[in-house]
Amino acid sequence: MKKFRMLGLATLAMMFTAITAAAQVGSQTAGGGDNHRGYIALAAGIGFAIAVFGGAIGQSKIGAAACEGAARNPGAAGRIQTMMILGLALIESLVLFALLIVFTVVKGA
């Protein structure tokens, strides 16, 4: 129940933030068309937030599993730590690739 309440409050905070962002007046292009560059930046930011959230969840699960494995078998703690660091590096590289894609999408728009 506590997780649902926290998720609801986070969603409510995001909605209040979106209201103020949508209330700002944007400049129109010379041809009278709509300016969608802001929407591209907003979508890229939300996509990157999802990627970071997934990476953080993955890293926390790897850390918890490594601690549990080392506690169950202290003799294998060195190998477990090595595999944990490799997994953390791979997850972090995926998040950095997502950041690179966000920069590419926003600059190209």
Side-chain angles (χ1 to χ4, degrees):
M1 187 66 180
K2 188 175 181 181
K3 290 182 182 181
F4 290 123
R5 184 176 1 142
M6 188 59 85
L7 181 64
L9 289 174
T11 305
L12 190 63
M14 287 297 288
M15 284 194 275
F16 283 139
T17 305
I19 289 172
T20 58
Q24 296 176 357
V25 178
S27 63
Q28 294 291 327
T29 57
D34 60 344
N35 189 1
H36 64 281
R37 186 170 173 83
Y39 293 124
I40 292 173
L42 184 65
I46 290 172
F48 182 64
I50 292 170
V52 168
F53 180 72
I57 293 294
Q59 286 181 345
S60 66
K61 287 189 177 192
I62 285 178
C67 288
E68 183 179 338
R72 288 181 184 219
N73 189 2
R79 290 185 61 194
I80 292 172
Q81 183 180 9
T82 303
M83 289 185 287
M84 178 192 72
I85 290 172
L86 180 64
L88 291 174
L90 291 174
I91 290 174
E92 192 65 31
S93 68
L94 287 175
V95 173
L96 290 175
F97 284 139
L99 180 63
L100 181 68
I101 289 171
V102 166
F103 284 150
T104 304
V105 167
V106 171
K107 184 178 179 183

